[in-house]
Amino acid sequence: MQKILSLLRKASTTYSLIENGDKIAVGISGGKDSLTLLYALNEYRKFAPEKFSLVAIAVDLSGGKNDYTAIKEFCKKIDVELNIVPSNVFEVVFEIRKEKNPCSLCANMRRGLLNSTAKALGCNKVALGHHKDDLIETFLISLFFEGRLSTFKPKSYLSRMDLDVIRPLIYCDEKDILAVSKDFPVLENICPVDKKTQRQNAKDLIKNLDKLYPNSREKIFNALIHTERYNLLDN
């Protein structure tokens, strides 16, 4: 966890993610990334130069099929308020709309519920558990399926909601998150398309690239975060 905290602090300092007086809503999917983020932020605020508060928000996509008992105990143990938002997102996406490519609609609906709940709770920032591998995967998905060079930012402002979205784990490797989250109450993923998405394909592609060209993953990451490492045609 020490490495995670060090990289979290680096990200916060580099991109001004956390500031005095922040009330941060941590989006809890129930997976290893979001639980690690919640735990790390709670540990970080014990020694951080900034004074900030936390709440946790879990959007239940399953219509009540997910069991949050262990996550409730986890949040109680670290003394962070947990808010569970009921929804029928899975029903809308898979049964009513029958989406062939469900991830985009699901993500949009989930984000909408997360952000509106954060706003209602008086938060000025929403923290998401995206890490280094997610950044690279999003770039590859955008490149190969959208034909553009794009990925998410460590910090972005939602003008309609007057909320900042921050990603404090941006420097963290997924393997390190996996190592520290072994004892966390990770929720079973009941999404019907789990591990059958373009993101999973991007994960597999990165693994193959690293075998073929050692350290290619790190080079892609460094190219993405370094503002001067580009040589593209001007418009």
Side-chain angles (χ1 to χ4, degrees), residues 132 215 217-227 229:
K132 181 193 289 187
N215 209 35
R217 176 180 162 280
E218 286 298 319
K219 289 177 181 177
I220 295 172
F221 178 72
N222 289 333
L224 290 173
I225 66 171
H226 198 297
T227 56
R229 287 182 182 168

Side-chain angles (χ1 to χ4, degrees), residues 110-223:
R110 183 179 66 245
R111 282 195 298 264
L113 289 166
L114 172 62
N115 293 339
S116 60
T117 304
K119 196 67 180 175
L121 292 172
C123 299
N124 65 310
K125 290 180 179 175
V126 172
L128 303 179
H130 296 133
H131 46 67
K132 181 193 289 187
D133 296 77
D134 289 323
L135 183 82
I136 299 169
E137 291 159 14
T138 301
F139 170 72
L140 293 178
I141 291 169
S142 179
L143 176 63
F144 291 123
F145 295 98
E146 299 172 358
R148 62 193 182 108
L149 302 176
S150 178
T151 191
F152 54 76
K153 296 180 179 179
K155 183 179 183 179
S156 54
Y157 178 64
L158 305 180
S159 57
R160 290 184 181 181
M161 300 295 296
D162 189 28
L163 281 171
D164 282 314
V165 176
I166 61 173
R167 296 172 169 92
L169 300 183
I170 195 73
Y171 287 125
C172 298
D173 294 305
E174 185 173 24
K175 61 180 177 62
D176 292 329
I177 292 173
L178 185 61
V180 302
S181 62
K182 288 181 178 179
D183 295 327
F184 292 167
V186 174
L187 197 64
E188 180 186 359
N189 192 339
I190 62 172
C191 174
V193 296
D194 182 38
K195 293 183 170 51
K196 302 175 185 177
T197 63
Q198 298 302 346
R199 183 163 296 278
Q200 184 61 46
N201 292 338
K203 284 180 182 291
D204 296 338
L205 175 59
I206 293 168
K207 288 180 182 178
N208 290 331
L209 281 174
D210 247 2
K211 291 178 183 177
L212 187 60
Y213 305 111
N215 209 35
S216 59
R217 176 180 162 280
E218 286 298 319
K219 289 177 181 177
I220 295 172
F221 178 72
N222 289 333

Side-chain angles (χ1 to χ4, degrees), residues 4-29:
I4 298 289
L5 288 172
S6 176
L7 292 173
L8 185 153
R9 184 169 192 168
K10 177 183 177 182
S12 181
T13 301
T14 303
Y15 299 107
S16 301
L17 302 185
I18 301 172
E19 299 162 296
N20 274 320
D22 281 346
K23 185 175 183 180
I24 302 173
V26 182
I28 300 298
S29 68

Side-chain angles (χ1 to χ4, degrees), residues 81-118:
E81 172 191 337
L82 173 64
N83 299 268
I84 299 176
V85 183
S87 81
N88 63 339
V89 170
F90 278 177
E91 180 185 3
V92 171
V93 173
F94 294 108
E95 297 177 21
I96 298 174
R97 295 280 295 268
K98 298 181 180 179
E99 292 284 322
K100 293 182 179 179
N101 299 300
C103 296
S104 178
L105 177 60
C106 182
N108 286 337
M109 294 179 71
R110 183 179 66 245
R111 282 195 298 264
L113 289 166
L114 172 62
N115 293 339
S116 60
T117 304

